[in-house]
Amino acid sequence: MRLSWHEYGCLIAASASSRSEDPHTKVGACILNREGRIISTGYNGLKSGISLPSWMKEENNRQKKRELMLHAESNALSLINKGDGETMCLTISPCFACAKDIVAHEIKKVFYIKQYDQCDKFKELFDYYGIYYKQINSDSIQKIKNHLISWIQ
């Protein structure tokens, strides 16, 4: 059961999310070039060298924490040149600000595992600029899970 390129990218994005220190939402990104090769990964978190303060772990501070976290998409895009990436795979669909960065970097396709519950405005932007986007289906998610299970058993 071989994973498709976008399933593979989503698996790598999920793996990248494990590096996030965000106690509430771990987000990962993976950028593939035209040949399907990984050219960048990223995860949400604070700037390197900054430790997570205890107040960010509290549920009632989630909104403020969300505003200060650097996003997985931005971190992944910061490591590539404009036009180098073909496909971005994400654990969660992008916020509107990240969607604009995706457009600016000339990414052509975006796949994501889950819909971001705070925003779906990215769809309007991607439709306008002709960027293909799709939430992966339950069959793809099951293929990814089965692949992981086969490795850890």
Side-chain angles (χ1 to χ4, degrees):
M1 142 190 85
R2 186 175 189 183
L3 298 178
S4 68
W5 285 115
H6 68 271
E7 291 166 342
Y8 171 65
C10 286
L11 172 63
I12 300 302
S15 182
S17 75
S18 69
R19 292 279 304 145
S20 172
E21 69 261 76
D22 187 328
H24 302 106
T25 307
K26 298 189 180 301
V27 183
C30 176
I31 302 175
L32 306 172
N33 67 10
R34 287 166 209 48
E35 292 79 39
R37 305 293 181 249
I38 298 169
I39 59 171
S40 184
T41 61
Y43 53 90
N44 63 319
L46 298 174
K47 178 183 169 188
S48 291
I50 305 292
S51 297
L52 187 74
S54 59
W55 67 264
M56 281 191 179
K57 297 175 185 176
E58 298 171 19
E59 183 68 29
N60 61 327
N61 292 325
R62 283 183 80 166
Q63 183 57 39
K64 184 64 176 172
K65 177 211 52 156
R66 195 177 288 132
E67 295 167 7
L68 297 173
M69 285 281 166
L70 304 178
H71 290 198
E73 300 92 333
S74 295
N75 283 328
L77 289 166
S78 72
L79 300 173
I80 68 166
N81 294 317
K82 179 181 176 181
D84 285 351
E86 172 85 7
T87 303
M88 180 176 267
C89 300
L90 303 165
T91 55
I92 299 175
S93 61
C95 70
F96 191 65
C98 287
K100 290 191 283 186
D101 285 343
I102 291 167
V103 169
H105 275 79
E106 300 177 355
I107 301 292
K108 306 281 190 276
K109 296 179 266 186
V110 176
F111 294 91
Y112 53 95
I113 298 171
K114 289 181 4 183
Q115 172 74 40
Y116 180 41
D117 63 358
Q118 302 291 315
C119 175
D120 68 352
K121 196 171 179 183
F122 75 93
K123 293 176 181 177
E124 180 182 334
L125 189 70
F126 286 177
D127 286 341
Y128 181 80
Y129 284 104
I131 295 173
Y132 177 84
Y133 60 91
K134 182 179 180 184
Q135 181 173 2
I136 64 171
N137 62 35
S138 59
D139 290 341
S140 289
I141 291 170
Q142 191 59 50
K143 276 176 66 179
I144 293 168
K145 285 180 180 179
N146 290 345
H147 181 78
L148 288 170
I149 290 168
S150 73
W151 273 98
I152 59 176
Q153 287 184 335

